[in-house]
Structure formats: C-alpha cells, structure tokens
Amino acid sequence: MVKLGGAARRWWRSYTPVQRVAMYTVLPWYPFLWGIPAVWLSAASIDAPGHVPVITAIALVAMLVPLTIVLRQQIRWHTHSEPPQYQRLLIAATVPGAAIYFLALVMAGGRGSDWVNLYLASGLAALAVGLAPILVGKRAVVAGLAAAAIALGVTGAPHAALVAAVGVALVITFFHSTLWPLDVMKQLEQLRVRDAALSVAEERLRFSRDLHDVVGRTLSAIAIKAELAAKLADRGDASASAHMREVESIAHSSLRNVRELARGYRAIDLTQELRGARSLLESAGIATTVEGTPDAVSTANSEAAAWVVREATTNILRHARAHQCTITIDESQVVVANDGLAGAPNMSPGLGLTGLRERLAAIGASLDIRCDASTFTVIARFKENA
C-alpha cells in the first residue's frame, strides 16, 4: 500500500499545476456521461416492457463507447494540446447505437409514461455530454433542434421537445463554461514560459552587446597592427618589433577589459538573488521557503552564495517538475532542495552546476549534489567552517 501511495504521489506530481486544475475540472464529466444514464435507466426499467431494457442497454453502450473517446480526446486537446484523431469516424459510430436506442422507444409505445421520459432523457443526456466539446455556434443550434425533434418523435408532446432543446443547450453551455477557464490558464502558462525565455534572451543580448563593445574594437586594432607588423617584417623593417609590442600592449589591455566585464557581470547580491529566486519559483507555481538570512553569510562568501542560489534556481526551472523548494542559509553553507526529481527522471548535474563547482573551488568552497527519492539537493559548503 505504501508503494502504491508513493506511485500515486509521483504520478500526481508529474503534472503541472495547470494540468492538475484541469483534471479536477473535467474528470467529473466521465462519471456524468455514464452514471446519469445508468441511474435513470435503472429506475425506468421497472416499468418498461421486457425487451426494452436489454435492447436500449446494448444500444446505449454502443453509443457511449465512441462518445467517451470523443470526450477524452477533446478534453486532452484543451488540457494538453493533443490534437483529436478520427473525430468524424467516432461521431459516425454513435449513429447506429443512437438510432436503435430511440427507435426502440418509439416501437415500444407508452407515450407520455414516466419510463419513456426517463429513457429519452438518458439518451439525450449521453449525446449532449459526449458531443458537447464540438457543439459550438451553429452546431449547438442544430443539436438543440435535433434533440427537440427526437423528443417530439418519441413522446409526441411539444412541451417535451422544448424541454429537450433547453436541456441540451444548458448541458453544452455548462460544459464550455468549465473549459473556458482551462483555456485561459493554458494561455497564461504559455505566456509565462515565453516571458522566461525572453528574459534569458534579453540577458544574453545585453552581455553579447557589452562584450562586443569592450572587445570588438581592441580585436580589430590587434588584427590591423599584426598585419602591418607582418608586412614590415617581410621587408626587414626594424619598426615591426615596435608594432608587435603595441599588439602585446593592446592584448593585455583587452584582457583587463574582459576581466572587468566578467567581474561586473558576475557581481551579484545575495539578498537580491534570494528575492529574485523566490519570485521566479513562486511565479512558476513552486512554493518556496527561505530559512536563514543573508546576513549570516560572511562578506567573503556572500557573492559565491548568491551564485549558488541563482544556479540552483535556474536548474530547478529548466530541468525539474518541482512543487516545493527550500533554501537554507547559515554561516557555513547554502542548501537548495526541491521535490522535482520524480517528475524529471533525467535530471542530473549539468554544465551550470559543473561551472558552479569550479567557481566555488577557486575560493576553497565545495559543492555537493544529492538525489534522494524525489528530492534533488544542492549543498555549498564554505571554507571558513568546513
């Protein structure tokens, strides 16, 4: 039982928050599709003639099987963007069962009796729920008119036709009112992913622009000076050595500029990184807890700790299916743990964490990565309290 519970939790955590809400919203439609007709038919079969319950039950199952597939594919289209397949064929497959079902009611007689009304309502409810995802606009109007015609043909009562048309319209309206929020949430999720990608692209563009401004001019100068020195050397001109010394000077200057650029790019603040990490993770639907304060970390280790928080956060957002994250900070270490390993079985230390380990090693600190069940933990220990 424990293993079963763990498997169920891992299965549930493998879905995004949007997909979970979608499942909560749409799953009740499946028991509604099968349950309501089954209950009504059970109640009505007591008064129905002997052959009617058997014929209608077989016809109803033949009708519900393709309707269930249509409903599932349409729901998956709204929740997972999976395009439906063979929709026309599946819809056509419901026609024989529906025709036999309603013809059996007509042939059995009993117009105006309660059991006929219940059988009629059961069949129309099944068709309305199963076909509701594709009944939009003119199709919904046609469906309402078709329901009214079927009701009129079965019962011969105009008021039954009106009730049938209104009932089908209400089912279709209610179904689409549950799908609309899912579409909105899916669009918001897509916008969040695009916004994150755009932020990364903007940062790369900023850094490439700064690198071009700092290095581009000096590299051009080096190329020109080296070409000139080579031509002078070919002619035996003694001034070639002077030009090569200028190339050396420019190269050293360029190296200093690159180092300054790298230091400026990497100079980050631990408090800001913690604030940014919490904001990014929570906007991605990951509950984030920060234990400890940035003041606990010494000034010498503050920037390294900030890089640990940034890289670990990036790793979670890019590779994990996390729902909870805990960041623990004290004077000796920074620990970032998340529960996203179960949803991302291929999650492993990448180039970012490898680069972080090298950066920490340069200041005498260490990086430890642990994978335990569904938890992925990054631990950075500083030299002073190792």
Side-chain angles (χ1 to χ4, degrees), residues 137-156:
K138 294 180 180 179
R139 292 180 180 178
V141 176
V142 172
L145 294 175
I150 293 172
L152 187 61
V154 171
T155 65

Side-chain angles (χ1 to χ4, degrees), residues 5-26:
R9 282 194 297 272
R10 286 192 294 273
W11 170 79
W12 184 247
R13 289 178 179 178
S14 66
Y15 290 95
T16 65
V18 173
Q19 291 172 340
R20 291 183 189 180
V21 173
M23 292 177 67
Y24 272 127
T25 305
V26 301

Side-chain angles (χ1 to χ4, degrees), residues 1 94 139 194 305 351 356 363 365 371:
M1 291 297 292
T94 65
R139 292 180 180 178
R194 291 174 186 173
L351 294 177
L356 180 62
I363 62 170
C371 302

Side-chain angles (χ1 to χ4, degrees), residues 87-285:
Q87 290 287 285
R88 293 183 179 178
L89 181 61
L90 290 168
I91 294 170
T94 65
V95 174
I100 294 172
Y101 183 91
F102 293 113
L103 282 174
L105 298 182
V106 174
M107 301 280 297
R111 286 188 173 185
S113 58
D114 291 338
W115 72 267
V116 170
N117 294 332
L118 280 175
Y119 269 80
L120 173 66
S122 300
L124 292 178
L127 286 172
V129 174
L131 298 177
I134 64 172
L135 297 179
V136 183
K138 294 180 180 179
R139 292 180 180 178
V141 176
V142 172
L145 294 175
I150 293 172
L152 187 61
V154 171
T155 65
H159 70 275
L162 178 62
V163 171
V166 172
V168 168
L170 288 176
V171 170
I172 295 171
T173 302
F174 185 65
F175 185 89
H176 285 284
S177 69
T178 61
L179 288 184
W180 177 75
L182 299 182
D183 290 336
V184 173
M185 286 190 295
K186 186 170 70 173
Q187 292 173 11
L188 291 175
E189 178 73 8
Q190 291 172 348
L191 288 174
R192 186 192 65 79
V193 173
R194 291 174 186 173
D195 184 64
L198 181 61
S199 298
V200 172
E202 288 178 346
E203 181 64 12
R204 288 175 176 172
L205 180 61
R206 185 195 70 80
F207 185 68
S208 64
R209 183 173 58 249
D210 292 346
L211 187 64
H212 177 271
D213 292 342
V214 171
V215 179
R217 182 183 61 84
T218 54
L219 288 179
S220 298
I222 288 173
I224 294 173
K225 288 287 185 180
E227 183 180 358
L228 177 59
K231 291 180 178 179
L232 292 175
D234 289 341
R235 294 202 302 261
D237 195 324
S239 62
S241 60
H243 286 286
M244 288 306 300
R245 281 191 289 272
E246 289 184 24
V247 169
E248 181 185 11
S249 176
I250 295 172
H252 284 301
S253 176
S254 178
L255 182 60
R256 285 193 301 271
N257 290 337
V258 171
R259 287 173 176 169
E260 290 173 0
L261 175 63
R263 282 196 296 269
Y265 183 68
R266 294 176 182 171
I268 55 178
D269 179 73
L270 178 56
T271 302
Q272 293 179 356
E273 284 303 312
L274 285 171
R275 189 182 301 116
R278 183 194 290 271
S279 176
L280 279 173
L281 292 172
E282 290 183 347
S283 66

Side-chain angles (χ1 to χ4, degrees), residues 304-315:
W307 268 103
V308 173
V309 172
R310 175 182 284 190
E311 186 54 43
T313 301
T314 302
N315 205 55

